[in-house]
Amino acid sequence: MNNIVNLRLRYFPFPGRAGAIRDTLTIGEVAFDDLHTTFEQYGELNATNALPFGALPVLDVETETGKVSAAQSNAILRYVGRLSGLYPVNDDLQALKVDEALGMGEDIYALLAPSLHEQGTERKMVMRKTLAEETLPEWAGYFERLLVANGSTGFVVGDSLTVADLKLYWLCKFLVSGDLDGVPTNLLDNFTTVTIWFKNIATVRKARLASAG
Ligand SMILES: N[C@@H](CCC(=O)N[C@@H](CS)C(=O)NCC(=O)O)C(=O)O
């Protein structure tokens, strides 16, 4: 393990793909600089090719031997999960299931992206209707099955909190926030196991953050 001198997370000033990363480091009591990047600053960074893949989040890891910058929220989550004890390091199968759930989260974000970028209101709302009535319920059904297959423990993998819970918690919170015009806040209500999981993670997350001080 490289000795970390400094960790810096760069993301916009809202949870998005960074909520789970911030939570994981906080719960693990791993010190980090939480740099909130404005859209203007992001534009400048992107214009100068200062971001690995032209997107945020980016984690800058300074060690005794140099500095590494990495993008891709799932890669960052696995790394900070290992630092914080929220990623299974001694169980390959549990790690596989955590990775599977992280990938599912990114698949869903990718499905949301076109309507988030769409400027035309009418076209945006057509996309949102398909998302609300077809695409997102289909994925919520997959998620419900995944949770049931894990034994309906209230966690995505096994019976304790992992980075997969935090990633999907923030994603589901966004989906039902009302911020996505056309996507109803009761989107997940018919998915009983998802709803129980969501409430459990909200409670566990709060308690773990509080006990981290
Ligand atoms: N697969 C990447 C996606 C990163 C991504 O799309 N980030 C968004 C914010 S959540 C971004 O930087 N958007 C800026 C833009 O495209 O203008 C990841 O998981 O980190």
Side-chain angles (χ1 to χ4, degrees):
M1 180 75 79
N2 294 300
N3 280 334
I4 297 168
V5 176
N6 189 257
L7 272 185
R8 183 175 67 159
L9 178 66
R10 288 186 273 161
Y11 193 70
F12 301 106
F14 51 81
R17 281 181 168 96
I21 301 169
R22 291 175 181 139
D23 283 352
T24 301
L25 287 166
T26 306
I27 288 170
E29 300 186 15
V30 179
F32 70 109
D33 294 333
D34 191 7
L35 198 79
H36 289 190
T37 308
T38 64
F39 282 104
E40 197 182 4
Q41 288 165 333
Y42 161 78
E44 286 162 14
L45 289 169
N46 204 18
T48 54
N49 293 330
L51 302 171
F53 302 126
L56 296 172
V58 168
L59 187 72
D60 303 312
V61 187
E62 198 185 319
T63 69
E64 283 160 354
T65 51
K67 192 182 123 184
V68 168
S69 290
Q72 295 297 351
S73 57
N74 284 353
I76 296 171
L77 264 177
R78 281 188 279 269
Y79 176 72
V80 298
R82 283 186 213 105
L83 294 179
S84 302
L86 294 184
Y87 185 84
V89 285
N90 295 318
D91 189 325
D92 290 346
L93 282 180
Q94 286 220 328
L96 175 66
K97 295 302 285 182
V98 169
D99 291 352
E100 175 191 48
L102 294 180
M104 181 181 80
E106 275 309 303
D107 280 358
I108 298 171
Y109 274 117
L111 291 166
L112 296 178
S115 79
L116 290 171
H117 290 125
E118 178 57 59
Q119 296 300 316
T121 311
E122 221 168 284
R123 280 196 300 270
K124 187 191 280 275
M125 294 316 286
V126 170
M127 290 172 166
R128 290 283 165 81
K129 188 170 160 52
T130 309
L131 280 168
E133 291 176 7
E134 296 170 33
T135 324
L136 293 173
E138 184 185 338
W139 278 93
Y142 296 147
F143 187 28
E144 176 90 6
R145 290 212 305 253
L146 185 153
L147 291 169
V148 171
N150 186 50
S152 305
T153 59
F155 298 95
V156 169
V157 179
D159 57 5
S160 63
L161 189 75
T162 65
V163 289
D165 291 298
L166 293 170
K167 171 134 192 155
L168 295 172
Y169 168 78
W170 281 109
L171 173 57
C172 289
K173 203 168 157 63
F174 180 44
L175 291 178
V176 300
S177 63
D179 291 342
L180 281 167
D181 286 344
V183 177
T185 54
N186 66 356
L187 176 82
L188 300 173
D189 287 4
N190 289 337
F191 299 90
T192 322
T193 319
V194 172
T195 302
I196 292 169
W197 161 84
F198 185 75
K199 286 187 184 145
N200 182 51
I201 298 307
T203 306
V204 171
R205 170 185 175 270
K206 203 170 163 194
R208 295 288 297 265
L209 287 171
S211 68

